[in-house]
Amino acid sequence: MKVWVDRLIRDGVVERGVLFEADDAGTVLSETTTEAPADALRLDLAAPGFANAHSHAFHRALRGRTHESGSFWTWRELMYRAAGRLDPGNYRELATGVFAEMVASGWTAVGEFHYVHHRPDGTPYENHAMELALADAATDAGIRLVLLDTCYLTGGIGTPLSPEQARFGDGNAASWLCRWHALRDALADRAPLVTLGAAVHSVRAVPREEIARIARELPADVPLHIHLSEQPAENEACVAAYGRTPTELLAAEGLLAPRLSAVHATHLTENDIRLLGDAGVHAVFCPTTEADLGDGIGPATELTVAGAKLAVGSDQNAVVDPLLELRGLEAGERLRSLQRGRIAPATLWSIGSAGGYSSLGLAPAARVGGPLDLVELDTMSLRTSGSRAEQLPLTATASDVRRVIIGGHPIPIDAHATAARLARSISSLFGEDARTHG
């Protein structure tokens, strides 16, 4: 397959007339600078696909229902109620709509941080039914999925899972690892579109000794993610229990490594930043969620200077728009520093694509040896007309996505049908008439 791009923006630099050739699996075999061949798919202005490094697909059901008041902790109780209503059938339907929305918005890969493993009473489904529902949803939507199967064992440090959390747990790290290996076998024939990663939910939800076991026994080539210091209360509980910050605890138990992605990384000490940077971890910021939940603004620039790599994600999917996440990352830096231009547009392009793909253990998009994943943008919309191409992350939105190429294939985008599907699945989840809300 061949795709020709008139203007290709990679790492903020505009390249002209780039022809990609890929194999049947969608891996780039070669790229050359040439005139457009007659047998190639032609794009006007495009960039390597954006990677959503942190998503909870089912949180999309809460959009427009939880924003009026409360805190992260009151929002979490509403989230647990939604999780309790999921089954393999309705989760596949909802997730297909969510993943299709992501594709329409320019995300070409997603890391799904998944912990709704079992039936509501905690008994297992047969044959990884919830995980395969997500894999099927990604296949239906055409998005590249890294399923970050999550270890979630306790309701807080020293606290058992609540009844609402029972379906998340596997008892201990050994049982989770056993299920993880079986799931990897079950997903083997889904590659390269669907692959398996891993996650530790947080230091709240996985005891110290179990974190250490995962660090020792999870295969070293598997990308590993964790929620880290999203809330001050998490830090306070960790220091009270272990005499260390969450980051210091991960360092002590061997979890800090380049394959680790620290999600949120909002409330960090100077020593935390140094430890994360020295280990070369990824820091995954989710600016629209961190703003919506009142989490705070993390030290993105300091982490970069220390040696960490940045990526972005949509997290609760209250907003599904890679360009708004990137703009929010820079906006947060400006708000806390009172300075403009903290993260250059060229760096934003790289964070949105290469940073996210690396966080998910994927080769960089639109490079030889990597997947042929591209996003074509409209440069003549009301938002983008007159913009310099390099600065589009600061002016464009998902509404400016024209075409999305994943594995060398254009993915059909039908925004109206996707919106209708989401309305039906969310209304069904809450026992409502879909016409009531759209």
Side-chain angles (χ1 to χ4, degrees):
M1 60 191 76
K2 298 178 182 179
V3 178
W4 182 83
V5 185
D6 182 30
R7 291 176 292 166
L8 176 68
I9 305 179
R10 280 192 294 200
D11 300 328
V13 176
V14 180
E15 304 172 44
R16 298 303 302 264
V18 178
L19 175 66
F20 294 101
E21 296 195 49
D23 62 18
D24 291 342
T27 300
V28 178
L29 299 176
S30 67
E31 65 169 82
T32 54
T33 302
T34 183
E35 297 296 321
D39 59 344
L41 173 66
R42 302 184 186 191
L43 306 181
D44 179 18
L45 181 141
F50 296 111
N52 184 347
H54 188 70
S55 163
H56 300 289
F58 79 90
H59 291 190
R60 171 64 177 82
L62 300 177
R63 184 191 295 178
R65 294 169 177 266
T66 65
H67 305 296
E68 68 273 14
S69 63
S71 67
F72 168 86
W73 304 103
T74 57
W75 169 87
R76 191 177 72 157
E77 294 306 313
L78 296 172
M79 179 268 288
Y80 287 159
R81 292 182 202 171
R85 294 169 175 167
L86 295 172
D87 59 47
N90 65 27
Y91 202 11
R92 175 174 176 169
E93 181 68 12
L94 173 61
T96 300
V98 177
F99 292 153
E101 182 181 5
M102 289 181 190
V103 172
S105 302
W107 298 111
T108 53
V110 57
E112 179 61 28
F113 198 106
H114 166 66
Y115 49 80
V116 188
H117 302 302
H118 308 303
R119 292 184 174 87
D121 64 359
T123 59
Y125 288 104
E126 293 183 5
N127 302 320
H128 312 285
M130 292 295 273
E131 290 72 33
L132 293 183
L134 288 168
D136 290 341
T139 302
D140 291 346
I143 199 167
R144 192 176 304 282
L145 170 67
V146 179
L147 184 60
L148 299 168
D149 192 85
T150 302
C151 184
Y152 196 135
L153 304 176
T154 61
I157 298 175
T159 304
L161 293 173
S162 68
E164 295 81 7
Q165 298 168 319
R167 68 185 314 181
F168 307 160
D170 287 294
N172 53 50
S175 295
W176 174 78
L177 283 161
C178 182
R179 187 179 57 75
W180 185 91
H181 281 282
L183 177 59
R184 183 165 66 168
D185 292 340
L187 291 175
D189 63 348
R190 305 296 188 103
L193 192 67
V194 177
T195 54
L196 185 63
V200 170
H201 181 274
S202 60
V203 299
R204 301 191 316 272
V206 182
R208 178 177 188 170
E209 63 276 11
E210 308 288 19
I211 289 174
R213 181 163 192 167
I214 291 169
R216 291 193 308 269
E217 298 185 17
L218 187 73
D221 61 341
V222 175
L224 178 63
H225 289 221
I226 185 170
H227 294 123
L228 185 70
S229 292
E230 181 177 5
Q231 290 286 320
E234 174 186 319
N235 292 354
E236 293 162 5
C238 190
V239 171
Y242 302 120
R244 303 171 186 264
T245 67
T247 298
E248 291 168 345
L249 182 69
L250 299 186
E253 300 306 333
L255 215 67
L256 295 191
R259 62 114 166 238
L260 184 72
S261 288
V263 180
H264 302 304
T266 306
H267 302 282
L268 302 178
T269 67
E270 290 186 3
N271 189 50
D272 293 339
I273 293 169
R274 180 186 63 78
L275 288 169
L276 294 168
D278 286 349
V281 308
H282 297 81
V284 181
F285 284 77
C286 306
T288 64
T289 289
E290 289 147 9
D292 181 67
L293 296 181
D295 288 344
I297 301 172
T301 299
E302 290 89 337
L303 283 164
T304 302
V305 170
K309 299 173 283 291
L310 299 186
V312 292
S314 65
D315 194 356
Q316 63 164 328
N317 295 302
V319 175
V320 175
D321 188 326
L323 293 151
L324 289 184
E325 298 297 347
L326 293 170
R327 194 176 311 167
L329 184 64
E330 166 63 4
E333 281 294 299
R334 294 184 182 195
L335 287 169
R336 72 186 189 89
S337 70
L338 307 182
Q339 296 177 349
R340 301 182 77 217
R342 295 276 287 176
I343 304 175
T347 304
L348 292 175
W349 285 112
S350 182
I351 291 169
S353 183
Y357 273 70
S358 177
S359 168
L360 297 176
L362 301 172
R367 301 275 188 184
V368 173
L372 184 46
D373 298 349
L374 293 161
V375 175
E376 184 182 36
L377 297 173
D378 183 356
T379 61
M380 288 299 293
S381 74
L382 288 173
R383 291 160 298 279
T384 61
S385 59
S387 296
R388 293 173 56 186
E390 315 91 84
Q391 296 199 15
L392 285 172
L394 300 175
T395 62
T397 72
S399 297
D400 300 310
V401 172
R402 295 181 61 187
R403 281 185 290 184
V404 175
I405 311 299
I406 299 178
H409 298 286
I411 306 300
I413 294 173
D414 187 334
H416 180 77
T418 296
R421 182 174 201 157
L422 284 166
R424 288 193 304 270
S425 61
I426 292 170
S427 295
S428 175
L429 191 67
F430 290 108
E432 301 168 347
D433 187 332
R435 293 172 294 180
T436 303
H437 300 290

